[in-house]
Amino acid sequence: MKKIKHESQLLKKALQIGQQYAEKRGFAHFDEGTSNKIKIECIYRLLVEDKVLTPLATDKEDGPNMKHKLVLWIQKQLPDNHPLLSD
């Protein structure tokens, strides 16, 4: 898996946008005590269910791969001139 520049900030942005997406779909918001691991899995599965993301192979469905998939997704959603996409 290739390391992405600003990956942690992009993941944080993906979780923020993913939570907004989930709320618009009618899901309750995450409690403050909800871990990022659970948020990542829930958002990933919602986006796969809605066919926004291509699912990972069953044997590759783990935390690091889900994180990477969300980071790739948010990179495509952000405008080209976004600061997190700059080198």
Side-chain angles (χ1 to χ4, degrees), residues 44-72:
Y44 165 80
R45 295 198 185 283
L46 175 63
L47 293 174
V48 167
E49 180 72 25
D50 287 354
K51 296 184 179 20
V52 175
L53 285 180
T54 306
L56 292 163
T58 307
D59 63 328
K60 303 274 188 205
E61 276 189 348
D62 58 13
N65 285 326
M66 287 182 194
K67 284 181 189 179
H68 188 73
K69 197 78 163 174
L70 289 176
V71 168
L72 294 175

Side-chain angles (χ1 to χ4, degrees), residues 72-86:
L72 294 175
W73 166 72
I74 201 64
Q75 279 184 317
K76 293 175 185 173
Q77 304 305 312
L78 295 174
D80 291 335
N81 61 350
H82 195 280
L84 291 176
L85 301 178
S86 65

Side-chain angles (χ1 to χ4, degrees), residues 19-33:
Q19 286 180 48
Q20 291 173 357
Y21 178 83
E23 287 174 13
K24 286 181 183 176
R25 286 268 284 110
F27 291 94
H29 66 282
F30 293 105
D31 294 331
E32 287 187 30

Side-chain angles (χ1 to χ4, degrees), residues 1-34:
M1 192 173 355
K2 185 181 173 189
K3 181 72 173 161
I4 298 172
K5 193 169 189 171
H6 306 295
E7 188 168 1
S8 61
Q9 294 96 335
L10 286 166
L11 179 61
K12 186 176 179 180
K13 188 70 165 174
L15 290 176
Q16 176 189 6
I17 301 297
Q19 286 180 48
Q20 291 173 357
Y21 178 83
E23 287 174 13
K24 286 181 183 176
R25 286 268 284 110
F27 291 94
H29 66 282
F30 293 105
D31 294 331
E32 287 187 30
T34 306

